[in-house]
Amino acid sequence: MTADFTLEELKAIAAAPMLAGLTVSMIDLGLISTIPEIAALSKEMAGAAKKYPHNSIIQAVFSEAAIKEGSVKLEQPDIKAEDVESGALIEQAIEAITVALDVLKDRVPVEEVNEYKGFIYTCAEAVAQAAGSGIFGTGIKVSAKESAALERLKAVLAV
């Protein structure tokens, strides 16, 4: 029960972990913390194919072959300050996750979908753990805002 994905479907699969991670980064924005948070997200996404070698969903987007092919380019979302402040950004991340999961429904084994859901959450969690709220990213790693966002994502992903 594996599936071939269209370019639009591949983009949706790629967008969910990226937007989940960016949401956690932006929800408690700090000048110093942003750099290690984005680096943590990049590291999770770059290492996904090796971490999940038997997951057809992740391999379709994040494998070396998929990246070399270059058909799926991660587009930077247009994030506005008012979207962060209003909570619309977390809703956009949830919508991206929902779209990606709808693409996968009944097309790939449930174990792979669950692994992909875990990957999305791991991306968001890695961002939250990347930098603290203190000077130069020291101090408490996961802020209250980040924790709340992680809880929302965890509930949506059922992980």
Side-chain angles (χ1 to χ4, degrees), residues 56-133:
S56 64
I57 304 162
I58 293 170
Q59 293 300 316
V61 177
F62 299 104
S63 69
E64 189 174 323
I67 292 169
K68 280 183 181 178
E69 184 180 299
S71 58
V72 178
K73 299 205 185 312
L74 295 176
E75 298 171 11
Q76 184 173 346
D78 182 26
I79 299 173
K80 299 175 180 71
E82 57 267 16
D83 291 342
V84 176
E85 293 169 17
S86 70
L89 184 58
I90 188 88
E91 297 305 324
Q92 290 172 18
I94 289 169
E95 176 64 22
I97 291 166
T98 302
V99 168
L101 295 178
D102 284 347
V103 165
L104 303 173
K105 189 175 182 181
D106 300 327
R107 293 179 67 188
V108 293
V110 70
E111 299 82 20
E112 289 189 36
V113 174
N114 289 339
E115 203 170 47
Y116 171 70
K117 289 163 55 175
F119 166 62
I120 294 171
Y121 185 77
T122 298
C123 287
E125 188 175 46
V127 169
Q129 293 286 341
S133 58

Side-chain angles (χ1 to χ4, degrees), residues 130-147:
S133 58
I135 297 174
F136 298 112
T138 61
I140 297 171
K141 291 291 184 192
V142 182
S143 72
K145 289 180 181 178
E146 290 170 332
S147 182

Side-chain angles (χ1 to χ4, degrees), residues 13-19 39-50 58 61-63 67 74 119 123:
I13 291 166
M18 182 177 68
L19 198 50
L41 177 59
S42 297
K43 182 179 177 184
E44 285 299 319
M45 293 178 76
K50 287 184 181 172
I58 293 170
V61 177
F62 299 104
S63 69
I67 292 169
L74 295 176
F119 166 62
C123 287

